[in-house]
Amino acid sequence: MTDENLYNIRMRASAGGNHLSGAERIVCAENIDEIARGLLARSRSKESFPDQVTIHIERLQDQPIRYLTALNVLTIRVSDMHSGRDAAARILEYAGVSGLAATKALTLLSAGASPSGKAMRGAIIMDAGSGERLEPDQERGVRASRFDWTGEAFATVDSRLTALSLAHHRTREALSLATKVAHAPAVVAELCWSDDPDYIAGYVASLPTGYVRIPVLKQSQDPKGGRVIFVDPAVLNLASLINYLETDPVLINAVGEINKEMSLPFYFELLAQR
Ligand code: WAQ
Ligand code: MG
């Protein structure tokens, strides 16, 4: 794939004014039709038929593409939601998030992070020390956009995740998003779990820890979820962070290590040996 003639295709589906699903790709011109059809099919795959589906196709005009290697992946063995959230807090602290900010983030995501209590479309930006929220719109949050796998890296990550029974598209997409986010200026770490009531896994991601999957971060059928991006206020330029997250095109062209499930103490031993 050359940098010329790359297009960003975004799909968004909503019903009754509420966001249902969204996805996006970066593709070359000859693949637009096929990928747009795939995204359209996905907009319909939820139980309630969308009232509105938007497919947005945009050429990435003269913007340099940043190529990244995916974060290393591993899964932490946890027995329930409480040990999952506990593990998330400890991994966040390892990455440089204060205990105060980690606790605040976990509490916000479990309570419903937007002022109205609805799911946010984007992420909270949080001061990694004080826990202060910095995103300009607390109802919407900040959305990371314009990231995808190259065809080759997609095939590799898909087969290697599938070999570890991680074939769900959510894992692959979250890994690409987390890779873009972790490489953003001033970002310390990210915490995420889905707002999908059926999907209870989530992750903590950062450059020092990699993409750490946590199989249980909430109770089944809980519709609350979200994302928190922790930043270092000493080096933060909020406008350039938001600009990077929303508009800088990123293609992931290489896959890192993909490790099996391990216990939290074993994972911390591995980190200590590095
Ligand atoms: N940028 C920023 N925040 C986003 C974005 C985005 N592009 N997309 C979603 N969010 C926020 C928003 O608040 C959602 O409510 C929340 O994240 C969850 O989004 O390895 O599927 O798309 O198997 O439901 C974790 C995968 C899956 C764990 C997470 O998130 C694994 C997932 P969802
Ligand atoms: Mg969702």
Side-chain angles (χ1 to χ4, degrees):
M1 208 180 318
T2 64
D3 285 14
E4 289 110 72
N5 294 319
L6 287 181
Y7 291 79
N8 179 221
I9 311 187
R10 302 196 288 273
M11 177 279 289
R12 240 179 107 172
S14 60
N18 291 322
H19 176 75
L20 283 181
S21 65
E24 72 165 272
R25 303 293 307 275
I26 293 174
V27 300
C28 35
E30 53 269 36
N31 293 336
I32 290 176
D33 292 52
E34 183 196 335
I35 299 296
R37 257 196 305 279
L39 290 174
L40 185 59
R42 227 172 108 172
S43 76
R44 286 202 208 93
S45 65
K46 292 258 175 165
E47 285 140 41
S48 49
F49 195 84
D51 293 338
Q52 197 178 64
V53 179
T54 307
I55 300 216
H56 181 98
I57 303 173
E58 184 182 17
R59 185 172 6 190
L60 298 172
Q61 300 270 18
D62 305 323
Q63 275 175 294
I65 310 279
R66 182 159 176 201
Y67 289 91
L68 295 175
T69 297
L71 296 175
N72 294 337
V73 178
L74 69 126
T75 300
I76 297 293
R77 191 178 310 122
V78 298
S79 49
D80 57 17
M81 180 191 97
H82 300 289
S83 57
R85 290 185 182 180
D86 197 55
R90 292 191 51 201
I91 298 159
L92 285 169
E93 286 181 56
Y94 178 90
V97 176
S98 73
L100 177 79
T103 304
K104 187 167 169 196
L106 287 159
T107 307
L108 267 173
L109 291 196
S110 44
S114 76
S116 73
K118 278 194 204 169
M120 294 170 70
R121 286 194 55 234
I124 294 169
I125 311 274
M126 184 177 281
D127 182 320
S130 71
E132 188 193 342
R133 285 176 76 159
L134 304 173
E135 73 280 13
D137 179 347
Q138 293 197 355
E139 196 59 42
R140 178 182 181 274
V142 173
R143 272 184 77 78
S145 184
R146 299 194 182 174
F147 55 88
D148 201 354
W149 305 91
T150 62
E152 207 179 320
F154 182 97
T156 306
V157 78
D158 189 38
S159 73
R160 289 174 57 192
L161 287 172
T162 302
L164 291 180
S165 307
L166 299 175
H168 203 291
H169 65 82
R170 283 186 186 277
T171 304
R172 204 178 52 231
E173 286 169 10
L175 175 59
S176 57
L177 185 151
T179 297
K180 180 175 184 184
V181 169
H183 288 84
V187 165
V188 173
E190 183 198 347
L191 167 70
C192 164
W193 68 83
S194 181
D195 53 22
D196 185 327
D198 294 323
Y199 203 86
I200 60 174
Y203 65 87
V204 170
S206 74
L207 294 180
T209 63
Y211 180 92
V212 186
R213 292 190 77 240
I214 302 173
V216 191
L217 274 176
K218 69 176 188 182
Q219 232 108 47
S220 177
Q221 301 317 308
D222 179 354
K224 296 202 171 76
R227 279 187 157 89
V228 180
I229 298 172
F230 298 91
V231 295
D232 177 356
V235 292
L236 176 70
N237 177 325
L238 188 59
S240 55
L241 171 63
I242 292 175
N243 191 55
Y244 168 87
L245 292 172
E246 292 181 341
T247 63
D248 284 8
V250 164
L251 274 173
I252 300 169
N253 64 354
V255 179
E257 289 173 25
I258 301 201
N259 295 292
K260 287 192 216 157
E261 194 168 272
M262 61 185 83
S263 70
L264 188 63
F266 186 80
Y267 170 60
F268 277 127
E269 261 174 54
L270 276 188
L271 285 175
Q273 283 163 20
R274 283 203 176 145

